[in-house]
Amino acid sequence: MTPLEWQLVASERSRDAGVLHEAERPLAAAYMAWYAVECLAKALIAAQGAKPPTAGGEGHNLAFLLDRAGLHPSDFSVNLRTHYEQRSVGMRYQHEGTDDHREQFKAAVTLAGRLTTRLRRVLRRQAKL
């Protein structure tokens, strides 16, 4: 997939997350918001000419994906880093949303914004070359 295709998938998952958030479904909203972040990290990897992992542990390991995208833990606040390090795709098996999921949603939205900004910069730089 191209960086744009990854970005389009991320945009769809972000919209899904927003609808779920508005419907007071914090667990599902957080899960979808993190899914969008994962896709944005993969868009950044693809923008650098590499093929992002899409299966297995690496395909869902956000810390690994961010590293491959050229981002480092020190690029993020301790709070944001804590949220993405605690994020797990296993949350899809939980049955009840909590206040922690609301915080996870907020962190994912913040990180998605930062990744979107970075992706735009990378793609603009490439277009100038």
Side-chain angles (χ1 to χ4, degrees):
M1 289 176 59
T2 68
L4 179 57
E5 289 169 324
W6 280 114
Q7 188 176 23
L8 290 172
V9 173
S11 180
E12 282 296 309
R13 297 300 76 81
S14 290
R15 281 196 287 276
D16 294 340
V19 168
L20 291 163
H21 179 71
E22 290 297 317
E24 293 292 321
R25 304 219 25 232
L27 172 59
Y31 181 76
M32 279 296 142
W34 283 119
Y35 197 146
V37 170
E38 187 179 297
C39 291
L40 287 166
K42 291 175 182 182
L44 280 165
I45 294 167
Q48 296 168 5
K51 184 177 182 199
T54 57
E58 290 180 347
H60 299 292
N61 182 331
L62 194 50
F64 174 81
L65 292 171
L66 292 171
D67 183 65
R68 290 274 312 271
L71 299 158
H72 306 285
S74 61
D75 294 332
F76 306 105
S77 69
V78 171
N79 182 50
L80 190 56
R81 191 169 58 241
T82 298
H83 281 294
Y84 84 69
E85 288 173 349
Q86 290 177 350
R87 174 260 189 186
S88 165
V89 294
M91 72 190 318
R92 63 185 169 201
Y93 300 118
Q94 297 171 352
H95 68 282
E96 186 176 354
T98 65
D99 285 339
D100 182 56
H101 293 115
R102 286 179 180 82
E103 292 302 315
Q104 284 283 329
F105 172 80
K106 290 177 191 173
V109 168
T110 298
L111 186 51
R114 291 190 56 192
L115 294 179
T116 298
T117 298
R118 186 172 182 118
L119 180 61
R120 286 182 183 144
R121 285 182 190 145
V122 168
L123 294 176
R124 254 186 302 215
R125 239 181 276 131
Q126 288 178 351
K128 290 179 181 179
L129 297 178

